[in-house]
Amino acid sequence: MTALKPLQSDEEWAFSDSDVCRLIRVFKASGSRSLDLRHLSTRLKLKAPSFVEYETATEAERTTKQVKSTGVGTFHAIREWAPGTSVTAETLLGHVRSVSRERELRAECNGVIAAQLVPDCTFLAYGDPVFEIRVCPA
Amino acid sequence: MTALKRIFIANRGEIAVRVIRACHEAGLETVIGVSEADIDSLPAQLASRSICIGPAPSWASYLDIDAAVTAALGTGCDALHPGYGFLAENADLSDACARVGVTFVGPKAETIRSLGDKVSARRLAQKAGVPVVPGRDNVSSYEDALKAAEEIGFPILLKAAKGGGGRGMQVVQSADRLHNGFDNARAEALASFGDDTVYIERFVRLARHVEVQVLGDRHGNIIHLGERDCTLQRRHQKIVEEGPACDVPAARVEEMRKAAVELVRSVAYQGAGTVEFIFDQDRNEFYFLEVNTRIQVEHPVTEMLTGVDLVAEQLNIATGAPLALKQNQIRLTGHVIECRINAEAAADDFRPSPGEIIQWSVPEGKDIRVDTHCYPGYIVPTHYDSLLAKLIVVGRDRGDALQRMSEALRTFSIFGIDNTISFLGALFERHEVKSGAINTRLVESLLEDSEFIKRLEGERQ
């Protein structure tokens, strides 16, 4: 990575268009994921596209949880679940019915329903996502 | 007759691949139930569709009758093939399929029950005039066991009534060891099979394991497809199978074939099955061992000897069609040997060796067959049995087959996990194996032979 010449004062932090272009080229060539350059009142922030997706995904994972089928069988919701409906970890969302069993599907976290991913009476495999819940912070 | 369109495969590994291929050749669609560990397995890739039925542990997936039947029904399957192991000999699965209108590719539940219980099977065999190992059923107390053992004569074998596949057995050499042996046998039977009922048989010192393949249809037709010699075993698990059984007197072999047919006919058997016998080399006598009411691991030996596709026959029988073959059409040609190749470190007491297969290269040729679910990059999971592949070769006669097997083993290479190829190669170098002078305890005695161990350890280095 090309080292930048240290700045002496705020007046020297005057990037021309060509400076910015050069900086972007150097950043891309470096293989770095992000650059956060600050000097006094100026900040320049660059991120590699894949890193943006990673950050976005990580953030989404922290805030939403999928409720997955606990067995193979047909899904039956306990009621209609509109997006925004509050649930707790113990809330019974529905059942997965197999030939000789009825397994409960519970929210397992506090939050609000973001989406019911499959319609009622869908035949599910083990592990198929059924609900997405936006998790509320504790 | 019931036309089949879509078959659910309630199994995994190489037998799942085998069944899927047979189904596709017959123009049938396939759905395989997989655990989470097998989502990307070869059978899942080959099947028309795969469906996850549970997490990796067998008890929550491949042993879950409800999951298998629900998955079969939910994916529109009209039949279920159980493979071998897992639920293949579970009468409750056969019952569950019948209740929901899914055809079970195998015998009726009552047949599985009567033949699956070892004590009941012995009684059926005796009734059908099939010789059984001198013994006593349902030994309920130590005193009872001692009386029975003294009548039969030591050494004796204590066996779990609900056992099978070589598990839950204890050899007791003398009366002073019986109490301990009896307690251990009952405890192991309870732990392994949920039932501590044990029975006693005479322990045959120089035994060969000979089994007869049978097919039966819904119309009362029963045929045998010859025998297999599965004498080379370790801890009652088969390692090498071959056919025909040329080191057993021909008259005894013919009697075993007839006895097998009589036994399964007496229960109106439907499907593919195997009647297993112990041949006592000291006394030149054979005794009934058990019936396996399913396709066997070693079924390719019979397929290569006879040219009959046993899985295809299973599917035909399940439709209600009569057997296409008559007994006088069955011919055994040549000599076939099969080796089971396992992910185990033979030099380290056959420690299981799961992990990633880095390199996988199988022998090829006109008279070579490899049944497997493995490929380069496949990760052998920890949860299931260690079978990687079956290597089957055909020769003009036994000597030719032995030579071809040795060559095939030399060209079979697997890197990344320990495996039993070198152990098998060393086994086939032994004069006992070459001459056919083998018994069911040979492998265990070789594993105590320093020369043999040195050979194995040399390979490990």
Side-chain angles (χ1 to χ4, degrees):
Chain A
M1 189 169 171
T2 308
L4 295 173
K5 191 177 125 192
L7 298 172
Q8 302 299 315
S9 69
D10 199 29
E11 287 77 24
E12 288 188 328
W13 192 276
F15 283 106
S16 65
D17 288 347
S18 61
D19 286 335
V20 172
C21 289
R22 185 167 153 251
L23 200 59
I24 289 172
R25 274 201 303 275
V26 166
F27 168 71
K28 276 185 181 174
S30 71
S32 300
R33 285 179 171 176
S34 68
L35 169 71
D36 195 348
L37 196 61
R38 295 172 199 248
H39 182 70
L40 299 173
S41 59
T42 305
R43 185 182 186 187
L44 178 68
K45 205 170 171 184
L46 297 175
K47 277 192 183 176
S50 57
F51 189 58
V52 173
E53 283 162 23
Y54 167 76
E55 271 201 329
T56 307
T58 306
E59 197 184 331
E61 281 164 16
R62 273 200 296 271
T63 58
T64 63
K65 181 187 183 300
Q66 280 189 337
V67 177
K68 297 183 181 179
S69 179
T70 47
V72 63
T74 309
F75 167 65
H76 297 274
I78 203 97
R79 50 167 271 198
E80 207 176 302
W81 293 103
T85 308
S86 290
V87 294
T88 67
E90 286 74 40
T91 302
L92 180 63
L93 301 173
H95 295 94
V96 178
R97 277 187 208 144
S98 56
V99 168
S100 54
R101 263 187 236 143
E102 194 170 79
R103 292 180 207 257
E104 292 181 341
L105 208 58
R106 292 194 182 267
E108 292 180 359
C109 64
N110 299 332
V112 297
I113 298 286
Q116 178 173 327
L117 302 171
V118 299
D120 220 36
C121 300
T122 300
F123 181 73
L124 299 171
Y126 173 85
D128 278 351
V130 186
F131 287 94
E132 208 161 73
I133 295 177
R134 202 169 304 117
V135 180
C136 292
Chain B
M1 277 187 33
T2 316
L4 301 178
K5 285 197 203 145
R6 189 178 296 156
I7 314 296
F8 185 82
I9 290 109
N11 215 294
R12 65 174 303 279
E14 69 86 19
I15 192 60
V17 173
R18 173 74 186 91
V19 173
I20 289 167
R21 289 207 166 122
C23 288
H24 290 178
E25 278 167 20
L28 302 168
E29 291 174 19
T30 53
V31 179
I32 182 161
V34 294
S35 73
E36 278 187 315
D38 284 334
I39 280 176
D40 297 320
S41 64
L42 182 60
Q45 293 169 45
L46 291 174
S48 312
R49 179 181 167 181
S50 73
I51 175 167
C52 186
I53 58 169
S58 297
W59 65 266
S61 49
Y62 297 108
L63 289 172
D64 186 337
I65 291 176
D66 179 62
V69 174
T70 301
L73 209 53
T75 53
C77 293
D78 33 44
L80 180 149
H81 195 300
Y84 56 65
F86 294 123
L87 295 169
E89 290 181 276
N90 190 311
D92 292 339
L93 175 63
S94 179
D95 266 338
C97 285
R99 275 198 297 270
V100 299
V102 169
T103 301
F104 180 73
V105 182
K108 290 193 263 193
E110 65 207 58
T111 307
I112 297 173
R113 277 196 184 97
S114 62
L115 292 175
D117 180 299
K118 304 310 168 193
V119 171
S120 161
R122 267 171 61 92
R123 288 192 189 135
L124 285 167
Q126 282 173 302
K127 207 168 148 197
V130 178
V132 297
V133 182
R136 172 86 71 78
D137 301 339
N138 281 343
V139 176
S140 55
S141 67
Y142 163 69
E143 289 73 26
D144 211 11
L146 180 62
K147 186 164 180 281
E150 283 168 348
E151 280 169 14
I152 296 162
F154 284 95
I156 55 104
L157 193 55
L158 286 157
K159 294 170 92 167
K162 294 287 191 291
R167 293 183 303 146
M169 300 180 10
Q170 292 249 354
V171 178
V172 177
Q173 298 287 346
S174 55
D176 59 327
R177 296 182 189 179
L178 182 62
H179 212 311
N180 222 28
F182 181 70
D183 289 342
N184 286 345
R186 288 183 75 177
E188 197 182 325
L190 185 64
S192 299
F193 311 109
D195 185 321
D196 69 354
T197 309
V198 297
Y199 64 105
I200 287 184
E201 283 181 348
R202 171 188 292 160
F203 177 67
V204 177
R205 193 183 63 93
L206 274 182
R208 291 189 89 104
H209 176 118
V210 179
E211 58 188 41
V212 177
Q213 178 71 56
V214 294
L215 285 174
D217 66 21
R218 292 187 196 173
H219 308 274
N221 300 308
I222 304 275
I223 60 170
H224 73 77
L225 290 93
E227 74 286 349
R228 297 181 291 254
D229 186 324
C230 310
T231 299
L232 287 171
Q233 305 176 359
R234 176 185 166 262
R235 295 187 187 169
H236 308 292
Q237 300 300 307
K238 296 165 189 169
I239 298 171
V240 176
E241 303 102 345
E242 58 183 305
C246 32
D247 291 295
V248 176
R252 295 287 94 77
V253 170
E254 196 48 42
E255 286 165 15
M256 281 188 251
R257 291 174 178 182
K258 281 197 176 122
V261 168
E262 282 314 306
L263 173 55
V264 297
R265 197 192 301 283
S266 75
V267 296
Y269 193 87
Q270 294 171 21
T274 296
V275 184
E276 297 191 339
F277 298 96
I278 282 290
F279 176 68
D280 185 336
Q281 297 182 88
D282 280 335
R283 296 169 191 255
N284 191 22
E285 287 175 0
F286 70 91
Y287 311 113
F288 168 75
L289 195 59
E290 62 184 38
V291 180
N292 292 322
T293 56
R294 53 171 166 84
I295 194 84
Q296 299 260 93
V297 174
E298 60 271 24
H299 74 273
V301 172
T302 298
E303 290 188 332
M304 302 299 275
L305 280 172
T306 60
V308 175
D309 184 328
L310 289 171
V311 180
E313 290 303 315
Q314 283 185 298
L315 295 168
N316 280 336
I317 291 166
T319 66
L323 288 179
L325 300 156
K326 300 274 182 277
Q327 188 65 69
N328 59 14
Q329 293 173 292
I330 302 299
R331 294 273 182 274
L332 274 57
T333 306
H335 195 90
V336 177
I337 303 179
E338 174 184 281
C339 285
R340 298 189 191 192
I341 295 171
N342 294 328
E344 292 168 350
D348 198 1
D349 199 29
F350 294 83
R351 167 185 49 77
S353 177
E356 186 180 349
I357 295 176
I358 309 287
Q359 186 189 316
W360 176 266
S361 174
V362 305
E364 288 175 358
K366 184 168 94 38
D367 295 317
I368 294 176
R369 170 175 162 176
V370 178
D371 282 17
T372 186
H373 59 293
C374 298
Y375 51 88
Y378 175 60
I379 296 175
V380 178
T382 57
H383 311 276
Y384 313 116
D385 71 84
S386 56
L387 182 65
L388 296 172
K390 297 166 342 196
L391 171 60
I392 306 113
V393 302
V394 186
R396 289 185 308 274
D397 50 38
R398 189 169 187 268
D400 185 38
L402 283 168
Q403 196 180 333
R404 286 170 188 261
M405 178 55 82
S406 293
E407 281 165 18
L409 285 168
R410 274 195 287 276
T411 59
F412 201 146
S413 71
I414 306 172
F415 287 104
I417 53 172
D418 290 314
N419 58 79
T420 51
I421 291 176
S422 303
F423 160 74
L424 290 162
L427 195 58
F428 278 95
E429 286 173 4
R430 296 292 302 195
H431 62 91
E432 299 97 330
V433 174
K434 287 182 184 172
S435 68
I438 58 176
N439 61 75
T440 52
R441 294 163 67 221
L442 175 68
V443 172
E444 272 142 3
S445 66
L446 287 177
L447 290 169
E448 291 166 5
D449 180 315
S450 54
E451 193 190 302
F452 191 78
I453 300 291
K454 225 186 283 182
R455 168 82 169 77
L456 286 187
E457 286 176 347
E459 285 287 343
R460 178 163 66 168
Q461 285 153 21

